[in-house]
Amino acid sequence: MTEQNEPKQNPSQAGESPVTTRRGVRSFVLRQGRMTEGQKKAFDRGWAKYGLSREDGMIDPREVFGRDAMLNLEIGFGMGQSLAEMAEAAPEQDFIGVEVHLPGVGALLKEIEHRGLENIRIYNIDANDVIDLCLPDACLDRVMVFFPDPWPKKKHHKRRLIQPGFVQRLRHKLRVGGLLHLATDWENYAEHMMEVMSEAEGFANTQGPGQFSPRPEDRPVTKFEQRGERLGHGVWDLLFRRTN
């Protein structure tokens, strides 16, 4: 992601602003971009069924999905391709995706429709609000944050999403034994993530102290990542399990 001006268009057709009114590090940077006609039509057809709202308050995942299953949360799913692939590959699991950018939401709804998926629900709001206002404690089996904005300039490092306070809020939403999976293609951010997670109360590195993980087979390789690999860019995965 890169920092750009906030869009002049209505930021959400889901009936609520994606921007939290609370203080703290936002989970995103608002970018310009309009939905394609296909994304808008998919949004209009699918949002009522697959969309979740801040106004829904604390959800009961069993009621939302109509079953008791392993529950995954992806924060910042981008255009949704990877999330759709994971959901299609694991129909026995349920997935909640969070993304503030409407083109990404529309693109994921197109994928859901194309693949015939029933095990995805979507929030089009700040992930901070999803964590604090919408998800009960210990409801998640896995949280995924893939390629968040790296804020590469040192003076902007405080804006990075992966910070001690944010990690502890995620911890409370994970069940004991649940997994936090982070990935980045910025080495400096990978080092920052490792430092934060290694010092985080209630988490243990599944690979051993200070060790990055090989890419798990169930994390799809994105086109962006493939392009980066061709250019010689590295990718770092971190897998930490909640211990208490």
Side-chain angles (χ1 to χ4, degrees):
M1 298 181 185
T2 56
E3 184 176 17
Q4 298 183 20
N5 295 328
E6 297 191 0
K8 297 180 181 178
Q9 68 203 76
N10 182 357
S12 176
Q13 297 177 21
E16 58 185 339
S17 169
V19 181
T20 181
T21 57
R22 298 175 300 104
R23 292 183 178 181
V25 177
R26 291 194 317 195
S27 66
F28 60 93
V29 178
L30 281 174
R31 299 191 303 266
Q32 292 185 5
R34 295 183 180 277
M35 299 174 78
T36 66
E37 190 62 26
Q39 290 166 355
K40 186 178 184 303
K41 288 180 178 178
F43 185 97
D44 292 340
R45 288 191 298 264
W47 180 257
K49 179 176 180 178
Y50 297 102
L52 296 172
S53 168
R54 186 189 295 118
E55 303 307 315
D56 295 333
M58 285 286 176
I59 64 170
D60 181 343
R62 293 170 297 183
E63 291 184 0
V64 170
F65 291 97
R67 64 178 181 177
D68 189 2
M70 177 177 172
L71 184 60
N72 304 273
L73 173 71
E74 182 176 4
I75 295 173
F77 58 74
M79 300 307 285
Q81 183 74 25
S82 294
L83 181 54
E85 289 183 20
M86 288 188 290
E88 185 175 38
E92 75 283 359
Q93 300 180 26
D94 292 328
F95 295 80
I96 294 175
V98 182
E99 179 56 59
V100 297
H101 301 107
L102 275 176
V105 174
L108 177 56
L109 286 166
K110 282 185 66 177
E111 288 291 331
I112 289 173
E113 190 174 66
H114 174 70
R115 298 169 187 259
L117 303 176
E118 297 291 338
N119 58 338
I120 297 181
R121 297 296 184 271
I122 304 170
Y123 280 105
N124 178 222
I125 56 176
D126 185 352
N128 287 295
D129 283 353
V130 175
I131 294 165
D132 294 341
L133 306 177
C134 303
L135 297 178
D137 287 349
C139 72
L140 299 171
D141 293 277
R142 178 171 55 168
V143 176
M144 300 168 287
V145 187
F146 299 153
F147 308 103
D149 194 315
W151 292 104
K153 293 182 180 180
K154 188 172 182 179
K155 65 180 181 180
H156 292 154
H157 284 184
K158 64 184 179 180
R159 302 186 185 184
R160 288 174 168 175
L161 181 62
I162 304 305
Q163 304 287 359
F166 184 75
V167 165
Q168 287 304 313
R169 287 161 57 217
L170 290 178
R171 172 189 164 212
H172 291 301
K173 302 307 170 179
L174 281 165
R175 64 170 178 81
V176 174
L179 195 67
L180 176 56
H181 182 182
L182 311 176
T184 182
D185 61 338
W186 284 77
E187 185 173 10
N188 177 265
Y189 199 5
E191 293 168 350
H192 169 86
M193 288 177 171
M194 182 62 73
E195 180 179 353
V196 169
M197 292 306 305
S198 296
E199 296 177 358
E201 178 186 353
F203 281 101
N205 190 332
T206 64
Q207 306 300 306
Q211 298 300 306
F212 294 98
S213 171
R215 180 183 64 84
E217 291 184 0
D218 59 358
R219 180 176 74 76
V221 179
T222 66
K223 293 180 180 178
F224 171 80
E225 186 176 351
Q226 290 173 338
R227 184 173 67 249
E229 288 179 347
R230 290 195 298 270
L231 295 172
H233 299 170
V235 173
W236 292 266
D237 286 84
L238 297 82
L239 274 71
F240 279 75
R241 197 170 298 280
R242 180 181 175 182
T243 57
N244 61 59

